[in-house]
Amino acid sequence: MWPPEQKSRLLQFVMGTTRIPVNGFKDLRGSDGRQRFTIEKAGDPDQLPKSHMSFSRIDPLLYKDYATLEHKLILAVERVSL
């Protein structure tokens, strides 16, 4: 389980903000109105996950196991918060 500070960094990485809307993800808004938080599996597993803040979307690649996914996600999140 990730500590709260790291969870905030993940939200910053994906959505551009460290806070969830008051009424939860159902009230998430983008530039075109209501926006769903989405996860798309795509890309080269040798790369880090990508995020699309304006769409509240994260692209975790098809890694071989959960440990690799978590490691790469932490690397990507930490790079954004530098």
Side-chain angles (χ1 to χ4, degrees):
M1 188 165 161
W2 286 17
E5 183 178 320
Q6 202 165 23
K7 289 178 183 177
S8 290
R9 288 183 183 153
L10 176 62
L11 287 174
Q12 179 75 37
F13 176 69
V14 178
M15 301 185 329
T17 181
T18 59
R19 298 174 189 246
I20 296 172
V22 173
N23 292 322
F25 282 105
K26 68 180 180 170
D27 281 349
L28 192 60
R29 297 230 171 256
S31 58
D32 294 338
R34 194 164 273 182
Q35 189 80 32
R36 295 188 75 179
F37 182 92
T38 57
I39 300 172
E40 283 289 324
K41 295 179 184 177
D44 181 355
D46 291 330
Q47 297 178 349
L48 294 176
K50 294 176 178 63
S51 68
H52 307 276
M53 290 180 203
S54 58
F55 300 108
S56 297
R57 188 176 101 200
I58 185 169
D59 296 343
L61 309 170
L62 295 171
Y63 299 112
K64 63 181 178 180
D65 55 39
Y66 179 79
T68 303
L69 167 64
E70 185 174 38
H71 174 72
K72 298 260 187 166
L73 190 54
I74 289 170
L75 287 174
V77 167
E78 293 299 322
R79 285 185 180 183
V80 168
S81 64
L82 293 177

